[in-house]
Amino acid sequence: MLEQLLIFTRGGLILWTCKELGNALKGSPIDTLIRSCLLEERSGEVSFNYEAYTLKWTFHNDLGLVFVAVYQRILHLLYVDDLLNMVKESFSEVYDPKRMSYDDFEETFRQLRKEAEARGEELRKSKQVGKGLGSVKKQGQVAKSGLDGGSKQSNGESGGGSKKDDGDGDKGKVGSLMMMMTNGNHANDSDKTDDFVNGKENTTDNVVVDPSKLLKLRSKGVRGRGGVRKIDSIGNKSSKVTAVEPPKKATKKNRVWDDAAPKQVKLDFTDSVGENGNGNEEHVDIVAADQGESMMDKEEVFSSDGESEGDDDDDDEARSDEKPEAKKKGWFSSVFQSITGKANLERTDLEPALKALKERLMTKNVAEEIAEKLCESVEASLEGKKLASFTRISSTVQGAMEEALIRILTPRRSIDIMRDVHAAKEQRRPYVVVFVGVNGVGKSTNLAKVAYWLQQHKVSVMMAACDTFRSGAVEQLRTHARRLQIPIFEKGYEKDPAVVAKEAIQEATRNGSDVVLVDTAGRMQDNEPLMRALSKLINLNKPDLVLFVGEALVGNDAVDQLSKFNQKLSDLSNTGTTRLIDGILLTKFDTIDDKVGAALSMVYISGAPVMFVGCGQSYTDLKKLNVKAIVKTLLK
């Protein structure tokens, strides 16, 4: 049963709701649809599920209207899509932008609903009849195949036992030969089959084969119909082929110029200070003088408009080179259409431009699934919209995609960490950040970069070595702490990381530290024990920020990593409020050139913003994400 149907504008003004239905919806499915689907560029999807409801929608892009139908998820209503299209067509005829009330549309909707339900009932019955005919047809095919198999078998047996020289007898002989060959009794019967093909008389004497002769032939090396081939065994004395051992690879030796012992080169360039430094202000100034100012506090200047015009010209030339047949449409017709504009954009008009745009996004390392969903969303937002004069379809599609990408990558909440740190300081508690991610993405290194940036803003930081799984993880973090003169809390290896993090937060509260940066072990998204330990750490300590550290090099795997991390944290949560990933730290951004699609894939699949971007190996190489630069690179 249909629960509700409503019509509203893209600005959020509700024009009409069905009073006849009038069912009170549990929760807020419409608000969730707008917030989680329509604003997230997922409008190209077929439906949206919210608790016990399923929502379907359609757009009238030319008028800027949205039509939404809500029904119970357990019901498979076949008429909802038809009903939405019929309501859209009927309502667009009576729509007036100055009009606010449409009470007279109630009777029209009642008739449309009856018509749609009747169509759905016919479709359901036709499907049931089709299923019944399909099952009967399948049973008939099975019975027919069984009868054919039995007749073939009986014919083969009678032909094999016959001694006549006619065609049936010959077929039986060939059948018996094939049966003997499949049973493993291979014989050199090429001459016999040749005689049969040439039409020579074959008797039963040619068919009878002595098993002892077959064994002798096999021992001599006869195989199949291709002739005789001798098989040399391993212990055969006549075989003179000896195995040649591959030459051993010569190892390179260090050259020694004299008898003096080689000098040991010092590899540890860190300062000889205590492991648990208090981080006095003098040493902070020294480190800042050596490393420089963090890139987080620098404004990034992007390219000028002139470059974008040049890029557009290059794209136009490339597009004209790729599709020369598009010019066959005619010069006058194309100019006339660009001046007058197209009546309404159809799906067939948008498909070529969207296909080229999808391929371009995938070459920039955007996951295929994400690129396809984005193109579907842009298509849904443009279909039925009137094309303006002096504009091309490709530029219209690119403009819509640019707006969608900016909307996705722009954070929808505040990511000002310094403000949150000061708010936690007023509450006399430390601000806790947990770094999570897969193996080898650079969690410890980028944790040190964040610590260095916080130090420059006169914030006292403590590190917590909660990677008690990987060998050398505590020593690595201890080295960063010694270089930055930051206190570190550690308990060694093979300890419960959740308990270590809790004790570190208690220690930071006693010492008056402002921020606690928790380093965790790298884990693959399918590793159940380590994911359970991570969920326990987050649920027990309730950090203020959970940062997912991911590589900018990944493509399709970014979707799998983030979705499974969020899924595991949700499934393994034992508290009422589920805690998911709050932000993303993108590493190795300096190694990807223009392949910046991982940022888009991660934000789209998780809804979490990119808060930091690692772009080098020093402590200063940490910056903010430039949304306009990313969008321009993706569409270039």
Side-chain angles (χ1 to χ4, degrees):
M1 179 181 176
L2 196 66
E3 294 289 327
Q4 188 56 269
L5 193 143
L6 69 159
I7 305 170
F8 57 92
T9 64
R10 286 187 180 271
L13 178 63
I14 298 178
L15 299 176
W16 179 82
T17 57
C18 183
K19 297 178 181 177
E20 181 182 347
L21 298 174
N23 297 324
L25 301 177
K26 297 179 181 178
S28 53
I30 306 296
D31 294 342
T32 309
L33 171 70
I34 296 171
R35 185 173 57 253
S36 303
C37 191
L38 303 185
L39 294 179
E40 292 286 338
E41 295 302 325
R42 290 181 170 87
S43 55
E45 296 182 0
V46 178
S47 61
F48 176 75
N49 293 326
Y50 174 81
E51 294 182 357
Y53 300 112
T54 295
L55 292 85
K56 287 192 173 184
W57 62 92
T58 186
F59 301 111
H60 197 300
N61 293 308
D62 197 20
L63 301 178
L65 301 178
V66 185
F67 302 81
V68 180
V70 186
Y71 60 94
Q72 292 287 339
R73 190 193 294 190
I74 59 174
L75 303 176
H76 298 286
L77 302 182
L78 301 177
Y79 63 87
V80 174
D81 293 328
D82 285 341
L83 180 61
L84 284 173
N85 291 328
M86 292 162 63
V87 169
K88 179 176 73 172
E89 186 176 348
S90 300
F91 191 82
S92 60
E93 295 176 357
V94 299
Y95 173 69
D96 185 4
K98 298 179 181 179
R99 187 178 172 185
M100 294 294 140
S101 177
Y102 293 89
D103 295 333
D104 55 345
F105 190 70
E106 198 79 27
E107 183 61 30
T108 306
F109 172 73
R110 191 179 295 110
Q111 296 176 0
L112 294 175
R113 183 184 174 191
K114 289 181 180 178
E115 185 178 347
E117 287 178 350
R119 287 184 185 177
E121 187 66 22
E122 291 177 2
L123 184 62
R124 186 177 64 82
K125 290 180 179 179
S126 63
K127 282 189 175 182
Q128 289 179 352
V129 171
K131 286 182 180 178
L133 289 175
S135 60
V136 171
K137 188 176 180 181
K138 191 173 181 182
Q139 291 175 1
Q141 288 177 352
V142 171
K144 186 178 179 182
S145 62
L147 290 172
D148 292 344
S151 61
K152 288 179 182 177
Q153 187 176 0
S154 61
N155 290 336
E157 289 174 356
S158 62
S162 176
K163 294 186 179 181
K164 294 180 181 180
D165 295 335
D166 55 358
D168 294 338
D170 293 335
K171 290 179 182 177
K173 295 168 189 176
V174 175
S176 61
L177 275 172
M178 296 298 293
M179 290 174 63
M180 290 174 66
M181 287 178 65
T182 54
N183 289 333
N185 299 327
H186 300 283
N188 189 11
D189 55 350
S190 58
D191 297 335
K192 297 179 184 178
T193 54
D194 291 342
D195 292 343
F196 174 76
V197 172
N198 294 331
K200 294 182 181 180
E201 183 179 358
N202 293 327
T203 60
T204 53
D205 297 331
N206 302 110
V207 179
V208 177
V209 180
D210 191 0
S212 61
K213 290 183 180 180
L214 281 176
L215 292 174
K216 288 180 181 179
L217 288 172
R218 291 187 65 182
S219 63
K220 289 181 179 180
V222 176
R223 187 181 65 176
R225 300 187 178 191
V228 180
R229 185 178 68 87
K230 291 188 177 181
I231 303 172
D232 294 332
S233 59
I234 298 175
N236 194 1
K237 295 181 180 180
S238 63
S239 178
K240 297 182 180 180
V241 181
T242 57
V244 181
E245 295 182 359
K248 294 183 178 180
K249 201 171 183 179
T251 57
K252 188 175 180 180
K253 297 180 180 179
N254 295 329
R255 180 174 293 179
V256 181
W257 295 100
D258 51 13
D259 297 334
K263 296 181 180 179
Q264 297 293 334
V265 182
K266 181 183 177 183
L267 298 178
D268 188 5
F269 297 98
T270 56
D271 301 324
S272 57
V273 294
E275 293 177 355
N276 297 330
N278 295 324
N280 52 7
E281 294 182 1
E282 294 180 1
H283 193 80
V284 171
D285 296 337
I286 293 173
V287 174
D290 292 338
Q291 300 290 336
E293 185 182 357
S294 177
M295 296 176 68
M296 280 290 294
D297 302 319
K298 296 179 181 178
E299 291 293 332
E300 187 176 358
V301 180
F302 192 53
S303 59
S304 60
D305 297 335
E307 295 180 3
S308 62
E309 292 175 2
D311 294 337
D312 293 340
D313 294 339
D314 295 340
D315 292 343
D316 296 341
E317 293 175 3
R319 209 176 287 118
S320 62
D321 293 339
E322 289 175 0
K323 297 185 178 180
E325 66 274 5
K327 292 186 178 180
K328 295 179 181 179
K329 191 174 181 180
W331 176 83
F332 181 77
S333 60
S334 61
V335 170
F336 182 76
Q337 182 174 328
S338 65
I339 293 174
T340 58
K342 189 173 175 62
N344 285 311
L345 288 173
E346 299 176 359
R347 184 169 297 182
T348 54
D349 302 325
L350 299 171
E351 279 179 359
L354 288 172
K355 183 179 179 182
L357 201 57
K358 177 186 173 183
E359 292 175 355
R360 192 184 308 175
L361 289 173
M362 289 173 62
T363 57
K364 298 301 174 71
N365 221 13
V366 178
E368 182 181 1
E369 178 187 353
I370 306 301
E372 189 171 351
K373 286 184 178 180
L374 281 170
C375 290
E376 289 175 357
S377 178
V378 170
E379 180 183 352
S381 65
L382 290 178
E383 188 178 358
K385 195 173 184 180
K386 187 175 181 180
L387 184 65
S389 302
F390 297 101
T391 53
R392 294 172 302 176
I393 295 176
S394 58
S395 58
T396 303
V397 170
Q398 183 150 342
M401 179 63 77
E402 184 175 353
E403 292 177 1
L405 295 179
I406 291 175
R407 190 160 52 248
I408 291 170
L409 292 173
T410 302
R412 290 175 297 280
R413 60 178 178 82
S414 174
I415 56 173
D416 189 358
I417 293 181
M418 297 307 304
R419 187 191 68 177
D420 298 337
V421 168
H422 290 305
K425 191 175 181 180
E426 291 177 357
Q427 300 175 6
R428 295 183 180 180
R429 65 174 184 86
Y431 185 82
V432 182
V433 183
V434 176
F435 292 77
V436 302
V438 300
N439 308 80
V441 294
K443 289 183 295 297
S444 303
T445 303
N446 285 275
L447 182 147
K449 293 179 184 179
V450 174
Y452 177 75
W453 171 66
L454 291 171
Q455 264 191 325
Q456 288 190 320
H457 289 272
K458 309 299 180 185
V459 174
S460 60
V461 184
M462 172 185 280
M463 294 182 180
C466 296
D467 186 356
T468 62
F469 185 77
R470 175 174 66 90
S471 300
V474 176
E475 289 79 6
Q476 180 184 2
L477 203 64
R478 190 188 300 160
T479 302
H480 288 302
R482 189 165 63 240
R483 293 196 66 186
L484 297 176
Q485 281 294 287
I486 292 176
I488 179 174
F489 186 89
E490 56 172 289
K491 286 290 185 179
Y493 296 98
E494 297 183 359
K495 302 291 191 302
D496 189 354
V499 177
V500 175
K502 186 175 183 180
E503 294 178 0
I505 295 171
Q506 294 173 353
E507 181 70 19
T509 306
R510 286 192 295 268
N511 296 339
S513 297
D514 299 330
V515 179
V516 179
L517 303 179
V518 180
D519 185 29
T520 62
R523 66 205 75 211
M524 296 307 293
Q525 59 268 25
D526 298 319
N527 193 325
E528 183 75 20
L530 287 179
M531 290 303 299
R532 193 174 295 276
L534 178 63
S535 178
K536 179 184 177 183
L537 186 149
I538 293 174
N539 293 327
L540 180 64
N541 297 286
K542 295 179 174 56
D544 298 280
L545 183 65
V546 180
L547 275 181
F548 179 84
V549 184
E551 284 182 330
L553 303 169
V554 295
N556 291 325
D557 199 38
V559 178
D560 189 55
Q561 288 177 8
L562 265 168
S563 59
K564 286 190 176 179
F565 259 82
N566 271 334
Q567 186 65 40
K568 290 291 183 183
L569 291 178
S570 175
D571 294 343
L572 300 174
S573 176
N574 53 9
T575 58
T577 57
T578 303
R579 188 64 186 276
L580 304 178
I581 291 168
D582 301 317
I584 300 169
L585 195 158
L586 212 55
T587 66
K588 306 176 185 178
F589 208 73
D590 55 323
T591 64
I592 57 171
D593 194 22
D594 62 342
K595 305 291 189 293
V596 296
L600 177 63
S601 300
M602 289 184 178
V603 173
Y604 187 90
I605 201 65
S606 66
V610 177
M611 305 184 72
F612 300 100
V613 175
C615 53
Q617 298 181 0
S618 62
Y619 292 129
T620 59
D621 293 329
L622 191 73
K623 62 181 182 180
K624 299 177 183 177
L625 183 73
N626 191 330
V627 175
K628 292 183 179 179
I630 296 296
V631 172
K632 186 175 179 65
T633 305
L634 286 171
L635 298 178
K636 186 170 66 175

